[in-house]
Amino acid sequence: MTFLELCRAAYTRIGYSGAGPSAVTDQSAQSARVVDYVEQAWLEIQRSRENWKFMLRRFDQVTEPGITHLSLPSTEVAKGDVIRSVEKDSWYIRGETEKTSARLCYLPADHRRAIEESDEHYTGRPNYFWHDRKSVRVSPTPDRAYRITGDYYITPQTFASSDSADNRQRELSQKVPEMPEEYHIAIVWLAVRSLAAFEGDGNAFQMADGEYRKLFNQICTTELPTIRYGAPLA
């Protein structure tokens, strides 16, 4: 469902009269409220977990000698796809002539100062990594080219998150949430729940809350990493 379709679905389910929003900008009264609550519902779902599969991205870059920072591609940053967190056990390094990869260890913030200070005169094969919103840093300073791969999760996206070129080519109303389509209706029901709370409609609130919770449980089942248990100790 597109942003506009989500808004129209929420408008209908809350029981407002009329056709609903004709666009997702320059609306007023009930239509403007619906657009706002749909946007907030999509953000709330994304923020509710840090490790949704639909927010997972792959990092794959090659280092340059003497350069510790590897920036995300500008096209990703322009879309708003910046790093929220990383799958710490998924990061690997491999030299250009090597057949196997080695694990990179994630470096917590409280351990970085000593590493950074020692890096000033120390180069070699990186063993550690950490990140900010738009880049990954490795340590020690690479002495040659290495391929760095790993998984990271992006920050929550608004429907308006995109570069200006994309905005010109594709109207905001046609944006589609980056979540499996069968769960798009969860955004609608969460928005309807907020609208019902605003209108003081207890029956509509309970119905929307029940529908949303069922869908949210399904999303958690399919869109969160599988819990792996270790082998029994005895």
Side-chain angles (χ1 to χ4, degrees):
M1 300 175 73
T2 66
F3 186 12
L4 181 57
E5 289 171 339
L6 293 167
C7 293
R8 287 175 173 171
Y11 189 98
T12 300
R13 282 169 173 76
I14 191 58
Y16 290 153
S17 60
S22 59
V24 294
T25 56
D26 300 323
Q27 299 296 293
S28 60
Q30 293 174 335
S31 290
R33 189 178 308 122
V34 168
V35 171
D36 181 60
Y37 280 143
V38 167
E39 178 83 86
Q40 293 305 314
W42 171 225
L43 285 171
E44 183 175 334
I45 290 173
Q46 294 175 87
R47 289 168 177 160
S48 63
R49 300 289 187 275
E50 286 194 355
N51 55 345
W52 291 122
K53 291 180 183 178
F54 56 82
M55 298 179 74
L56 186 67
R57 301 292 184 268
R58 185 67 173 169
F59 185 93
D60 189 341
Q61 291 196 37
V62 176
T63 65
E64 296 181 23
I67 305 298
T68 60
H69 289 77
L70 296 94
S71 298
L72 295 180
S74 57
T75 53
E76 298 300 312
V77 175
K79 292 190 301 182
D81 287 2
V82 295
I83 301 174
R84 181 186 194 185
S85 62
V86 297
E87 282 283 5
K88 297 176 183 177
D89 295 335
S90 71
W91 288 76
Y92 287 85
I93 181 172
R94 187 176 68 185
E96 289 185 319
T97 61
E98 298 171 352
K99 295 183 178 180
T100 59
S101 300
R103 280 276 302 276
L104 276 176
C105 297
Y106 180 78
L107 198 64
D110 56 349
H111 293 141
R112 293 173 192 166
R113 182 177 297 276
I115 293 293
E116 289 173 329
E117 290 174 351
S118 68
D119 274 358
E120 185 175 355
H121 304 291
Y122 180 44
T123 62
R125 180 190 182 92
N127 298 313
Y128 304 98
F129 83 98
W130 62 96
H131 69 88
D132 56 28
R133 285 171 54 84
K134 298 182 180 180
S135 67
V136 171
R137 180 170 178 180
V138 294
S139 174
T141 301
D143 58 346
R144 55 190 176 91
Y146 298 93
R147 184 180 182 186
I148 307 295
T149 58
D151 296 329
Y152 68 95
Y153 295 94
I154 61 173
T155 57
Q157 305 293 291
T158 66
F159 285 109
S161 297
S162 67
D163 65 300
S164 58
D166 184 62
N167 275 331
R168 289 194 299 268
Q169 297 171 6
R170 188 179 187 187
E171 292 184 4
L172 179 60
S173 62
Q174 297 304 306
K175 292 296 181 66
V176 177
E178 294 190 25
M179 179 171 68
E181 187 172 0
E182 61 266 32
Y183 300 133
H184 287 183
I185 195 66
I187 301 172
V188 173
W189 283 119
L190 184 55
V192 171
R193 189 178 74 176
S194 298
L195 289 163
F198 178 86
E199 299 291 351
D201 188 334
N203 291 332
F205 183 95
Q206 290 184 5
M207 181 184 70
D209 184 62
E211 294 295 331
Y212 171 69
R213 289 179 182 276
K214 286 189 295 185
L215 286 162
F216 186 79
N217 288 337
Q218 293 175 26
I219 299 172
C220 290
T221 299
T222 63
E223 295 300 311
L224 289 176
T226 303
I227 298 177
R228 294 182 173 86
Y229 298 96
L233 298 177

